[in-house]
């Protein structure tokens, strides 16, 4: 079996991840912060350690400004619905995932102005962001890397621009946290939404929102409820992380996430990036040599994360994905990848594309084996 | 020495957030200052989380080491 669906969720996980989760449940599975006994304290320490690891990885100055959520989608909803009000203006791109597009559509129907910048060939021009700014622009929100083409957004340039204009900048790091260097401070990013179950190698049900200094105190919470703090009041606390973490956290998931983060830290983001870049180059080069294969997105691997989508002439993406699984046990994802505007931009709507997404555990021989099967499929289509 | 010192060797550092208490725990551990996380005593606060018990004699050092505003320190009181 060859697993090429890491952009949906990474697999396998490092052994330390399920081990940490089992250990948490067996040895300290109490509520992290609702009681004062030793098990509760131990559970709290596990959660705090995960905050520290997230902050360190993303260049955030304060671990208490990491608010855990169940995934990047929830984190983006917390950011977008918490920050934007009728009359505000927000800039985004057509390459975004529905986790950005749908909350923004919802807000647009309630009086928020939304500019969705086109991205010819899937690439965003930072000058287009500058031109779209109005006096009412409150936020720019962009995916760091497209989940369809893998293309990198010009985060550095946009961050600088947003900071200079006094506009908050939110980055959807669902496809990049753990496999691309991120430094919120150096890159002028005010909010990062991350997921735990992709390139951080944690379990599903984990993610979070990191708030830089300029974003703190500006979000209305999405949920209100128990926090274990200020218990004498029926008003939601205004301090982080409690303000954005109502209800008991997924502490067992966060224990697994901390182990995934430790794996990434130990291996280093830079080494993971080098490994994935080499595999992506090999995959792109191989696909380019297959007649009838149309690759979406940038030609250079350095301008993507390890995500490569393609189509084979004369075949639907779902046929190709099914054949890949049936012939060689290659697991990938076909379709629109929850990014309808990106596929419209790329001319692949509504058919979609086949997506190979790689991770730290994939190998060059897996790439070669998959390319061999794609080549066979291409030849058989021609012969048909 | 105040009468407090003579009667109560311990004090507690109160935090607005449980996670901040854990952040403070790491700071004090790093500085080798004796401490223990305990449930917030009901006679001191109605919060349901925990606080840091310290030696009352260390309170000034603790005050210096913990960034009060960032950690939301609500006070250091004798136990």
């Amino acid at each position: 079996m060859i697993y090429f669906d890491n952009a949906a969720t990474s697999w396998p996980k490092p052994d330390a991840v399920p081990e940490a989760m089992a250990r948490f449940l067996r040895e300290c599975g109490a509520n992290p912060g609702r009681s004062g006994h030793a098990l509760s304290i131990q559970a709290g320490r596990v959660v705090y350690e995960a905050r520290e690891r997230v902050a360190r990885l993303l260049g955030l100055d304060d671990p208490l400004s990491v608010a855990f959520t169940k995934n990047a989608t929830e984190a983006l909803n917390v950011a977008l619905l918490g920050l934007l009000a009728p009359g505000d203006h927000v800039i985004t791109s057509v390459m975004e995932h529905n986790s950005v597009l749908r909350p923004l559509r919802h807000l647009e129907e309630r009086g928020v102005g939304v500019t969705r910048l086109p991205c010819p060939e899937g690439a965003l021009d930072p000058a287009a962001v500058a031109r779209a700014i109005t006096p009412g622009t409150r936020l720019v929100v962009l995916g760091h890397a497209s989940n369809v083409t893998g293309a990198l957004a010009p985060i550095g340039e946009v961050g600088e621009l947003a900071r200079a204009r006094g506009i908050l900048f939110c980055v959807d790091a669902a496809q990049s946290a753990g496999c691309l260097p991120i430094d919120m401070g150096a890159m002028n990013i005010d909010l990062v939404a991350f997921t735990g179950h992709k390139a951080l190698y944690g379990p599903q049900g984990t993610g979070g929102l990191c708030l830089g200094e300029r974003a703190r105190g500006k979000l209305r919470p999405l949920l209100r409820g128990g926090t274990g703090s200020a218990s004498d009041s029926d008003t939601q606390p205004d301090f982080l992380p409690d303000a954005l973490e109502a209800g008991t956290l997924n502490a067992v998931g966060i224990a697994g996430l901390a182990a995934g983060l430790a794996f990434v830290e130990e291996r280093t983001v830079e080494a993971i990036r080098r490994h994935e870049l080499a595999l992506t180059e090999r995959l792109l080069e191989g696909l380019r040599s297959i007649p009838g294969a149309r690759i979406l997105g940038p030609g250079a691997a350095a301008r993507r994360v390890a995500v490569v989508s393609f189509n084979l002439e004369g075949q639907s993406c779902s046929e190709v994905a099914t054949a890949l699984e049936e012939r060689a046990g290659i697991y990938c994802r076909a379709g629109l990848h929850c990014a309808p505007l990106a596929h419209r931009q790329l001319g692949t709507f509504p058919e979609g594309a086949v997506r190979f997404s790689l991770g730290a555990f994939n190998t060059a021989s897996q790439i070669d084996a998959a390319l061999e099967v794609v080549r066979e499929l291409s030849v058989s289509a021609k012969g048909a | 020495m105040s009468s407090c010192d003579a009667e109560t060797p311990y004090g507690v550092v109160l935090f607005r957030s449980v996670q901040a208490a854990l952040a403070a725990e790491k700071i004090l551990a790093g500085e080798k200052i004796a401490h223990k996380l305990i449930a917030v005593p009901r006679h001191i606060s109605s919060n349901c989380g925990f606080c840091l018990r310290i030696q009352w004699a260390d309170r000034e050092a603790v005050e210096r080491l913990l960034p009060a505003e960032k950690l939301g320190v609500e006070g250091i009181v004798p136990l």
Side-chain angles (χ1 to χ4, degrees):
Chain A
M1 189 263 280
I2 296 177
Y3 187 83
F4 279 174
D5 200 15
N6 290 277
T9 203
S10 59
W11 191 88
K13 306 295 182 187
D15 289 341
V17 172
E19 284 164 10
M21 295 173 76
R23 195 164 53 245
F24 182 89
L25 287 173
R26 288 201 183 102
E27 295 171 17
C28 70
N31 196 317
R34 297 296 192 272
S35 318
H37 53 74
L39 282 188
S40 171
I41 290 169
Q42 190 49 33
R45 285 190 186 119
V46 168
V47 171
Y48 185 72
E49 185 209 321
R51 285 189 213 283
E52 284 190 316
R53 288 188 182 280
V54 169
R56 202 154 53 228
L57 187 79
L58 302 180
L60 178 68
D61 61 345
D62 177 17
L64 296 175
S65 295
V66 177
F68 285 116
T69 59
K70 68 174 184 285
N71 46 40
T73 296
E74 185 182 331
L76 286 161
N77 273 267
V78 169
L80 299 173
L81 275 70
L83 192 65
L84 298 168
D88 287 339
H89 175 241
V90 54
I91 299 169
T92 189
S93 91
V94 297
M95 294 305 290
E96 305 312 312
H97 188 274
N98 269 340
S99 57
V100 169
L101 296 175
R102 287 180 174 172
L104 289 185
R105 174 67 70 190
H106 170 85
L107 287 164
E108 192 175 37
E109 288 163 358
R110 285 153 184 81
V112 172
V114 181
T115 298
R116 299 170 187 83
L117 294 170
C119 298
E121 305 295 316
L124 177 68
D125 177 5
V129 177
R131 285 193 296 272
I133 293 172
T134 71
T137 305
R138 183 101 201 270
L139 179 75
V140 178
V141 55
L142 293 177
H144 193 175
S146 162
N147 72 310
V148 176
T149 63
L152 307 185
I155 294 302
E157 292 94 320
V158 175
E160 221 167 282
L161 177 72
R163 185 62 55 98
R165 302 290 291 268
I167 297 163
L168 291 174
F169 183 32
C170 176
V171 170
D172 167 9
Q175 296 297 338
S176 62
C179 63
L180 276 183
I182 297 175
D183 185 329
M184 289 181 68
M187 296 163 106
N188 298 307
I189 303 170
D190 300 300
L191 296 141
V192 166
F194 68 92
T195 186
H197 69 99
K198 294 179 181 177
L200 297 180
Y201 296 92
Q204 293 163 16
T206 58
L209 183 67
C210 296
L211 291 92
E213 201 175 352
R214 295 193 323 153
R216 292 170 200 159
K218 295 201 169 103
L219 302 188
R220 295 176 301 277
L222 202 60
L223 298 177
R224 294 166 183 83
T227 56
S229 54
S231 301
D232 54 349
S233 165
D234 66 359
T235 300
Q236 184 72 9
D238 61 359
F239 49 84
L240 292 170
D242 301 33
L244 303 178
E245 286 185 350
T248 297
L249 289 172
N250 172 17
V252 60
I254 292 169
L257 173 60
L261 284 157
F263 164 81
V264 170
E265 254 186 299
E266 197 175 307
R267 200 168 271 209
T268 77
V269 172
E270 289 72 21
I272 291 172
R273 173 70 176 152
R274 277 197 302 278
H275 172 74
E276 293 186 357
L277 202 52
L279 295 182
T280 307
E281 270 165 5
R282 197 178 186 100
L283 176 57
L284 285 170
E285 199 182 311
L287 284 173
R288 276 195 288 266
S289 73
I290 295 174
R294 181 200 163 204
I295 305 166
L296 308 185
R303 288 168 52 209
R304 340 171 148 233
V305 288
V307 169
V308 176
S309 292
F310 64 95
N311 276 309
L312 289 183
E313 198 182 327
Q315 298 183 64
S316 78
C317 60
S318 55
E319 280 172 350
V320 173
T322 303
L324 284 165
E325 179 170 359
E326 287 179 351
R327 288 191 189 197
I330 297 166
Y331 296 173
C332 61
R333 180 172 171 190
L336 292 174
H337 314 101
C338 299
L341 304 190
H343 277 284
R344 279 184 195 279
Q345 174 77 73
L346 298 163
T348 44
F349 186 90
E351 294 80 16
V354 181
R355 182 182 72 184
F356 284 177
S357 53
L358 317 175
F361 295 108
N362 289 123
T363 63
S365 61
Q366 290 179 331
I367 302 286
D368 294 346
L371 284 167
E372 192 54 41
V373 185
V374 175
R375 191 179 301 279
E376 283 170 23
L377 290 172
S378 149
V379 171
S380 64
K382 274 198 160 174
Chain B
M1 186 181 279
S2 74
S3 61
C4 211
D5 290 315
E7 290 162 18
T8 60
Y10 292 118
V12 290
V13 191
L14 300 167
F15 300 88
R16 60 188 181 187
S17 142
V18 161
Q19 287 290 303
L22 292 159
E25 181 195 31
K26 293 196 82 164
I27 294 172
L28 295 193
E31 297 291 333
K32 302 203 184 325
I33 289 184
H35 64 277
K36 189 178 184 218
L37 282 166
I38 60 167
V40 177
R42 302 301 299 166
H43 68 279
I44 291 176
S45 167
S46 56
N47 274 354
C48 44
F50 29 85
C51 59
L52 266 180
R53 190 182 70 189
I54 56 165
Q55 299 284 336
W56 185 248
D58 286 335
R59 68 188 181 282
E60 284 175 7
V62 169
E63 260 173 343
R64 272 197 310 277
L65 285 166
L66 300 181
E69 196 177 333
K70 192 171 170 185
L71 293 182
V73 175
E74 292 187 321
I76 304 180
V77 297
L79 185 62

